[in-house]
Amino acid sequence: MDMPPKSILKKTAEKPADPRHLKVALHHANALEDRKRVERDVLEAIMTLMDFPASPNADAKRPSPADASHFQDAVLIFQPSDYDALIEERNIADRCGYALCSRPTRKARSTARKQFVDTDHGVQIVERKVLEVWCSDDCAKRALYVKVQLSEDPAWMRQGGLGEKIELMVENAEEHHKALPLRLKQEGASTSDDDKELLDAAWAAQADAMANLALERGEKPGQLSKANGDLIQDQIMERGFSIAPPQPPSLPAQASDHTMAIEGHVPRINRKDRDDDEDEDDAQDWDKLLPG
Amino acid sequence: MEGERTSATLIRLWRVWRTTKEMMNDRGYIVVEDDMTMALDEFTRKFAREDGEPDRSRLNFSCQPSQDMLAKYTDAPTKKVPNPVPNIGNIWIEFNHDENVGMKQLREYMTHLVQGSFHSGIMVTVKPMTGMAVRFLRASTTLSDGPKGGIEVFVEQDLLVNITKHELVPKHVLLSDAEKSQLLERYRLKQTQLPRIQATDPVAKYLGLRRGSVVKIIRKSETAGRYASYRWVI
Ligand SMILES: [Zn+2]
């Protein structure tokens, strides 16, 4: 009865290893290692940045050089989805989605899913979740300016290094010296060609998004509405995109999805109606509502 | 409470809480029988606030492993480790009430477990937690700052019914380290040759099966009576 049962499973055949196979296997092993390392780094960066900035008085418009460069370095390995995750985690911790801002998020007046918000256009309906992502439209703009610069490629697959340094919108560029390339002169010779290209692309995307927004509101392209005016009359956002007619984005991938459409909280008129899906609870809703 | 309507959330949570107690019992922790069979009105008396809604913070509880469980989770002695200690200990079960659970809550929970010297923990959340928190959880089993036995997370929805009570779900029994070695020796197998079961499989998750362990699955068959198969948890 109790005879030793034979293994029912196939014995693995033992063939001499093909050096080419070994090489491929090694390559995959290394890629996996790289990937694990990047994922761990992303996780650690998010853990740090979700409590950022350390000072309760830190101003998103004028970050300290140390905070700014920490943030720039940390997000360099991010993909846009990692950046969204950071925003989500900050929101859960009741912080404004922009990692250089020390303020809490805006609070809706009630827990209703749709909120009425006063704007220069009169009352608009906004998703509560979208409203509660940032402390202000200004932070939304600064945060999304970072997002469009992030590479869609996972950091372990990027050819030729991690990529360009991430630029920030700041009002105290002079304090940052070389840490932050000056953005004030778009045509300036101080930035490298690559920088200039990136900036132009970002501004083009911005202009494009603005134009889309304007069109949705029934305005003529290139003409600034009052609401838009509020958002762009920012000291550092000197001229350029508001005067020039909108141009199509020229940089692939990152610039093409119009994430620079800054008023994340403005619902699209022709947006797909998701109301049949009341329980849908995607924390990234703020992004979905962006045009594009 | 006479004549008042019981809140739907309270009824839901009553089920969730009972399933959680059963789950701990099935894993081998010491659980009071009355908790697993508690009637709704007693549950309401104990855990409802004045407005009739459940007070989740009062649902939290801790459990101690039984002697049997301690034995099962103790590796066979080796020359290197002649007196192995059990890989199991006190567990803290927490019912989180936040609408959105992310790394913030998870970190706080982790700190609580470590400070309370718990071996492991289970967090039950209202809704699924964030993707990054899931990643954090996976990484935390290898981190030194978390509890030794790790943290598991369940969504309330997962515990509304006890899946192991379903007639089509065969009985799963975890093998101890010694039983596992015996099995492999007997069939002259390497564990990697066994069929596999994901640690995320609902029953594996219910039983808290860890990677690398082997589970015995006992099925009833009309032709063969009862028969057992074994799976390696990956
Ligand atoms: Zn802010």
Side-chain angles (χ1 to χ4, degrees):
Chain A
M1 160 93 205
D2 204 40
M3 53 180 161
K6 262 203 258 169
S7 174
I8 42 160
L9 297 171
K10 252 197 300 188
K11 287 242 162 60
T12 35
E14 283 175 38
K15 274 188 274 178
D18 183 330
R20 273 175 313 174
H21 293 172
L22 277 180
K23 208 177 162 194
V24 171
L26 193 66
H27 173 79
H28 284 292
N30 285 338
L32 193 68
E33 271 314 299
D34 283 351
R35 177 182 182 152
K36 276 188 186 160
R37 203 184 50 243
V38 168
E39 284 181 347
R40 198 174 50 237
D41 289 350
V42 166
L43 192 62
E44 262 163 34
I46 289 181
M47 265 196 272
T48 313
L49 291 176
M50 61 186 265
D51 298 327
F52 223 60
S55 161
N57 303 318
D59 180 357
K61 292 185 178 68
R62 313 180 68 83
S64 76
D67 281 356
S69 84
H70 181 102
F71 176 56
Q72 286 168 306
D73 292 345
V75 297
L76 197 55
I77 54 166
F78 280 19
Q79 289 169 265
S81 58
D82 298 324
Y83 192 68
D84 288 342
L86 167 64
I87 292 165
E88 184 181 30
E89 296 297 340
R90 287 181 61 86
N91 286 169
I92 287 175
D94 200 32
R95 285 174 174 273
C96 170
Y98 187 41
L100 288 172
C101 176
S102 57
R103 289 191 290 194
T105 60
R106 263 189 299 231
K107 283 282 162 294
R109 277 177 231 153
S110 74
T111 56
R113 194 178 146 153
K114 307 268 185 192
Q115 296 283 319
F116 295 98
V117 178
D118 287 323
T119 71
D120 289 350
H121 284 283
V123 177
Q124 295 199 355
I125 300 171
V126 176
E127 293 266 346
R128 177 162 69 96
K129 268 180 267 163
V130 175
L131 190 76
E132 296 186 338
V133 171
W134 319 105
C135 73
S136 60
D137 290 348
D138 185 68
C139 270
K141 188 177 58 184
R142 289 173 202 274
L144 295 175
Y145 180 66
V146 171
K147 187 178 171 183
V148 289
Q149 298 174 61
L150 300 176
S151 169
E152 296 277 353
D153 298 328
W156 66 89
M157 283 170 55
R158 290 178 201 166
Q159 306 288 327
L162 286 174
E164 296 290 326
K165 186 166 184 141
I166 302 296
E167 292 173 32
L168 305 175
M169 278 188 189
V170 295
E171 290 179 4
N172 57 339
E174 68 290 347
E175 285 177 46
H176 297 246
H177 302 291
K178 283 177 195 157
L180 296 171
L182 295 178
R183 285 184 41 301
L184 290 171
K185 315 171 202 163
Q186 272 201 71
E187 291 97 7
S190 64
T191 48
S192 73
D193 283 354
D194 286 350
D195 284 348
K196 189 175 178 301
E197 203 173 286
L198 172 70
L199 280 171
D200 287 349
W203 287 117
Q206 164 92 333
D208 199 38
M210 288 295 226
N212 280 351
L213 210 59
L215 277 172
E216 276 175 23
R217 291 168 168 165
E219 293 155 14
K220 283 183 196 133
Q223 191 182 62
L224 282 177
S225 70
K226 279 179 201 151
N228 283 353
D230 282 351
L231 284 165
I232 54 154
Q233 273 163 19
D234 192 287
Q235 299 174 36
I236 56 154
M237 306 224 356
E238 203 201 299
R239 69 201 170 86
F241 69 95
S242 61
I243 297 159
Q247 285 158 25
S250 57
L251 203 68
Q254 2 176 270
S256 64
D257 60 2
H258 300 327
T259 19
M260 285 302 278
I262 48 183
E263 290 194 304
H265 66 282
V266 177
R268 294 191 65 177
I269 296 152
N270 59 350
R271 174 174 72 87
K272 275 211 193 82
D273 195 4
R274 297 168 65 241
D275 283 358
D276 52 325
D277 200 11
E278 281 297 327
D279 282 329
E280 168 78 50
D281 202 56
D282 191 330
Q284 251 85 66
D285 277 4
W286 63 269
D287 205 18
K288 292 210 179 96
L289 296 184
L290 296 174
Chain B
M1 293 289 150
E2 214 68 46
E4 277 178 38
R5 260 181 66 234
T6 314
S7 114
T9 318
L10 188 79
I11 296 174
R12 252 177 86 90
L13 222 49
W14 167 59
R15 295 203 173 124
V16 169
W17 189 78
R18 277 179 29 161
T19 307
T20 311
K21 289 278 181 175
E22 288 165 1
M23 179 168 86
M24 301 324 287
N25 184 63
D26 287 342
R27 289 184 183 198
Y29 292 96
I30 301 167
V31 177
V32 183
E33 179 73 31
D34 289 354
D35 283 353
M36 292 185 282
T37 55
M38 187 181 288
L40 178 59
D41 56 347
E42 191 188 346
F43 184 83
T44 308
R45 247 191 333 273
K46 281 190 158 157
F47 302 118
R49 296 186 311 224
E50 291 204 342
D51 63 1
E53 293 299 323
D55 179 355
R56 284 186 174 79
S57 63
R58 279 192 267 159
L59 295 175
N60 303 343
F61 63 91
S62 67
C63 279
Q64 245 184 307
S66 63
Q67 286 305 316
D68 282 354
M69 190 185 198
L70 286 171
K72 180 161 276 190
Y73 279 84
T74 307
D75 289 348
T78 57
K79 271 181 207 150
K80 236 181 173 180
V81 191
N83 297 304
V85 290
N87 298 313
I88 201 79
N90 290 357
I91 187 167
W92 175 252
I93 293 96
E94 188 161 306
F95 294 80
N96 187 284
H97 64 265
D98 292 325
E99 191 82 351
N100 298 305
V101 176
M103 281 164 54
K104 171 179 177 273
Q105 289 87 347
L106 212 49
R107 278 204 301 197
E108 287 164 2
Y109 183 57
M110 208 178 255
T111 309
H112 174 81
L113 291 176
V114 171
Q115 283 172 353
S117 306
F118 289 100
H119 184 268
S120 56
I122 291 179
M123 192 194 240
V124 182
T125 60
V126 180
K127 284 181 182 170
M129 57 181 189
T130 62
M132 203 42 71
V134 174
R135 251 159 88 173
F136 177 58
L137 199 61
R138 251 187 262 138
S140 69
T141 50
T142 58
L143 294 178
S144 50
D145 52 349
K148 245 185 274 168
I151 296 172
E152 296 162 61
V153 175
F154 286 82
V155 183
E156 287 179 3
Q157 180 74 30
D158 299 340
L159 296 165
L160 260 184
V161 293
N162 187 333
I163 47 156
T164 62
K165 285 189 168 175
H166 193 283
E167 55 174 335
L168 292 178
V169 176
K171 193 172 169 58
H172 288 57
V173 182
L174 172 69
L175 298 191
S176 68
D177 184 50
E179 289 166 334
K180 177 179 153 182
S181 318
Q182 278 166 21
L183 172 84
L184 297 177
E185 232 165 82
R186 187 160 181 242
Y187 292 93
R188 290 185 236 142
L189 289 173
K190 276 184 280 185
Q191 59 181 14
T192 51
Q193 291 174 287
L194 288 174
R196 295 161 187 211
I197 182 174
Q198 300 262 357
T200 51
D201 169 273
V203 179
K205 195 164 185 275
Y206 176 91
L207 291 173
L209 301 182
R210 300 169 185 168
R211 280 186 188 168
S213 50
V214 171
V215 66
K216 179 179 183 178
I217 301 176
I218 305 156
R219 291 170 206 272
K220 277 182 217 150
S221 146
E222 289 184 5
T223 49
R226 286 148 61 91
Y227 67 98
S229 61
Y230 298 88
R231 283 173 187 261
W232 183 47
V233 185
I234 55 160

